Amino acid sequence: MSASILDTGVKVVRNVGGFTVGRGSLSHLPQFVDARRRAVAPDAQVVYLVDTFFTSQPDLLARLGSRAGDVVQFVDVTDEPTTDGIDAITNEIRHQIRGLPATIVGFGGGITMDTAKAVANLLTNGGGAADYQGWDLLQVPAVHKIAVPTISGTGSEATRTCVMTNTKSGLKLGMNSDFTVFDQMVLDPDLTATVPRNQYFYTGMDAYIHCVEALAGSYRNAVGDAYSRETVNLCRQVFFADDMMSVEAREQLMVASYLGGCAIATSYVGVVHPFSAGLSVVLGLHHCVANCIALNALADFYPAEHAEFRTMLSKQKVSLPTGVCADLTAEQYQRLVAATVVHAKPLTNALGENFRAVLTDDRIIDIFRRM
Ligand code: NAD
Ligand code: ZN
């Protein structure tokens, strides 16, 4: 293959080490945690990073298998992770543990799972989060870590990255490495019952969008394609069902999220994610709602998927923010352009190396104005 910016050099794909799936599978978490304590030291500590939503559910927290001396830290999900924020959490944890923990449990959505992945990397590699934003910069394996997703769609439970914004440069980039992949995972659809409907839809659509973008791109992989096709199938079953949040649908979406994460580990996204990243970086919108707003304005590039997405939105009676780019200054539009075109890999995957011939500044601004 000729040298292309799409050539990642990743020839061998690493998956999550093991998992349990199904209603009630959270009951296995204490066994996973205890097995790690036995492997490390009987008195080894465990770190739990938990989405702040669950402060409202003390009964659930009692089921995670924590003991006196373990560190339970709630992750603020108001904003998506930044390098400074990750460094602050890591330093706090360093002060609360002796040596390294037996395992780190990431219990929550993409923000919490990405935080767990980043902290696990930093505890063994040292330095700050910004040092490892990029591809294969980590030198040694991370602390053992377990994913427990409580909302489905991003696929963070499966991927080899943890997304964060660089506090200084504004660059949104993860620590892409095999060391970032979780060692174990618990997929319990009972955990997603409390997710607000709009959020459930936006995050779930991330799995759909990852995979329709991957399937429309030029950088392909036979296994990735198979994961993507099944992810899209499952998302259709969920979002065309009468109740997208039935127990069956929640389990299907949990599986779609995981498979979508596996798919994206071997491929690239396309045009939607760069526009979405622009909305996140310049306007502070969260990833999944930003994706939906972007796809809604990108019918030119994904006509069939756009139509399907609109049908799913109305079937589930979900509303989408509108007018998010109204009344911006010329300088803000220019920042949106810059924050979009910086994503050369996915744009090349979707449109070819000459993507700027298609995506001129004027056209990009016109698309943002439609959001
Ligand atoms: P999130 O972590 O942003 O959480 C969204 C909201 O849902 C929060 O308010 C949270 O409190 C709430 N929530 C979570 N579980 C809940 C539950 N069971 N009941 C009620 N409320 C609940 O969720 P997300 O959309 O999964 O994650 C977005 C993040 O994922 C972004 O930071 C994005 O960059 C990242 N991401 C990572 C990858 C990756 O491969 N690592 C891929 C895509 C996106
Ligand atoms: Zn995404």
Side-chain angles (χ1 to χ4, degrees), residues 51 53 77 80 109-111 114 150 154 159 161 191 194 203 206 288:
D51 185 315
F53 168 78
V77 294
E80 295 188 342
I111 291 178
D114 281 4
T150 64
T154 66
T159 63
T161 193
L191 295 175
T194 48
T203 297
D206 198 25
C288 297

Side-chain angles (χ1 to χ4, degrees), residues 71-338:
V71 176
V72 180
Q73 180 132 347
F74 291 99
V75 177
D76 182 356
V77 294
T78 317
D79 295 313
E80 295 188 342
T82 62
T83 48
D84 279 0
I86 294 292
D87 289 343
I89 293 174
T90 308
N91 286 333
E92 232 172 281
I93 289 171
R94 276 199 185 105
H95 285 113
Q96 294 179 67
I97 52 170
R98 305 173 300 274
L100 293 172
T103 187
I104 297 183
V105 176
F107 190 92
I111 291 178
T112 306
M113 289 189 284
D114 281 4
T115 301
K117 290 158 107 173
V119 169
N121 285 336
L122 289 177
L123 286 179
T124 53
N125 281 269
D131 301 338
Y132 304 104
Q133 282 185 294
W135 277 266
D136 302 302
L137 301 174
L138 293 158
Q139 298 300 312
V140 294
V143 169
H144 182 280
K145 55 195 173 301
I146 304 173
V148 188
T150 64
I151 179 171
S152 305
T154 66
S156 170
E157 62 275 20
T159 63
R160 69 193 299 277
T161 193
C162 45
V163 184
M164 62 196 74
T165 301
N166 188 300
T167 317
K168 290 193 184 63
S169 68
L171 185 68
K172 198 177 174 191
L173 184 63
M175 303 175 182
N176 294 266
S177 165
D178 280 353
F179 298 143
T180 304
V181 180
F182 278 106
D183 297 280
Q184 261 168 334
M185 180 175 76
V186 173
L187 296 183
D188 186 341
D190 283 347
L191 295 175
T192 63
T194 48
V195 178
R197 278 182 70 81
N198 278 7
Q199 183 67 55
Y200 178 90
F201 182 90
Y202 302 147
T203 297
M205 283 311 293
D206 198 25
Y208 174 88
I209 293 172
H210 285 156
C211 292
V212 297
E213 287 184 285
L215 287 170
S218 63
Y219 185 88
R220 303 284 283 278
N221 168 307
V223 173
D225 281 3
Y227 282 135
S228 289
R229 283 193 300 268
E230 184 56 13
T231 302
V232 173
N233 275 339
L234 287 165
C235 289
R236 286 185 179 133
Q237 289 177 53
V238 170
F239 294 114
F240 286 129
D242 287 336
D243 179 7
M244 66 176 179
M245 291 193 69
S246 68
V247 177
E248 297 74 27
R250 282 189 281 110
E251 183 162 76
Q252 285 171 316
L253 194 59
M254 208 159 230
V255 175
S257 176
Y258 168 59
L259 296 183
C262 294
I264 218 62
T266 67
S267 57
Y268 289 100
V269 286
V271 185
V272 182
H273 271 76
F275 276 89
S276 165
L279 293 173
S280 293
V281 169
V282 179
L283 303 176
L285 289 170
H286 280 220
H287 178 73
C288 297
V289 69
N291 274 342
C292 291
I293 294 168
L295 176 56
N296 199 40
L298 288 165
D300 290 357
F301 295 91
Y302 299 101
E305 295 79 5
H306 174 266
E308 189 163 67
F309 165 73
R310 296 285 319 169
T311 312
M312 290 169 171
L313 260 182
S314 69
K315 169 94 187 166
Q316 299 303 333
K317 300 186 176 59
V318 169
S319 58
L320 206 56
T322 51
V324 297
C325 292
D327 308 323
L328 299 185
T329 62
E331 191 260 348
Q332 281 176 306
Y333 282 121
Q334 277 312 323
R335 283 174 55 214
L336 283 168
V337 170

Side-chain angles (χ1 to χ4, degrees), residues 337-356:
V337 170
T340 303
V341 300
V342 73
H343 295 278
K345 287 173 193 275
L347 292 172
T348 303
N349 182 43
L351 304 171
E353 280 175 23
N354 210 10
F355 63 84
R356 284 293 262 152

